Amino acid sequence: QVQLVESGGGLVQAGGSLRLSCAASGRTLSGYAVGWFRQAPGKEREFVASISRSGGTATNTNSVKGRFTISRDNAKNTVYLQMNSLKVEDTAVYYCAAGPLFSVQAAGYDYWGQGTQVTVSS
């Protein structure tokens, strides 16, 4: 069992930056691929970014390319999502998830955090 806790969310103006963290406990995170997803009010949960167990492979969705970067520090049992040039439409609850395989699908992940709110104001 892996427990995930997200942090780093908050209120930021458009154009600003935030770094989200996903800290794991229970098991070492190096044994899992990790994804970030987000859900805005009234919308379905959507894929944001994912990273393989080693960190050698990563991808993100088109709407955040060039602005968001996923990374991991297995020694710290933590995955990060650096978010730059934030837009109002990035406002959502952001969740991290861990699973056995690198995936862009929510169904590919077995463990989920509680989420952290990101609000971008204009």
Side-chain angles (χ1 to χ4, degrees):
Q1 192 83 356
V2 176
Q3 291 80 42
L4 302 173
V5 177
E6 302 94 337
S7 62
L11 174 63
V12 63
Q13 285 192 326
S17 298
L18 286 172
R19 187 177 78 157
L20 305 184
S21 297
C22 173
S25 61
R27 288 187 178 178
T28 177
L29 200 55
S30 62
Y32 299 89
V34 175
W36 283 98
F37 294 78
R38 66 186 180 186
Q39 187 166 20
K43 295 187 177 181
E44 293 189 353
R45 188 171 298 189
E46 66 170 348
F47 168 77
V48 176
S50 59
I51 191 165
S52 62
R53 286 176 288 182
S54 68
T57 302
T59 190
N60 49 28
T61 193
N62 286 339
S63 63
V64 307
K65 283 189 187 298
R67 301 189 297 122
F68 291 13
T69 303
I70 188 171
S71 63
R72 67 189 302 158
D73 185 341
N74 285 338
K76 294 183 178 180
N77 235 20
T78 302
V79 171
Y80 304 98
L81 184 68
Q82 179 66 45
M83 306 187 296
N84 298 329
S85 302
L86 281 160
K87 303 177 180 180
V88 172
E89 51 264 43
D90 293 319
T91 295
V93 177
Y94 284 70
Y95 300 89
C96 67
L101 298 174
F102 180 75
S103 175
V104 301
Q105 303 291 333
Y109 294 91
D110 301 320
Y111 304 102
W112 291 80
Q114 294 297 307
T116 185
Q117 176 71 46
V118 171
T119 303
V120 185
S121 64
S122 59

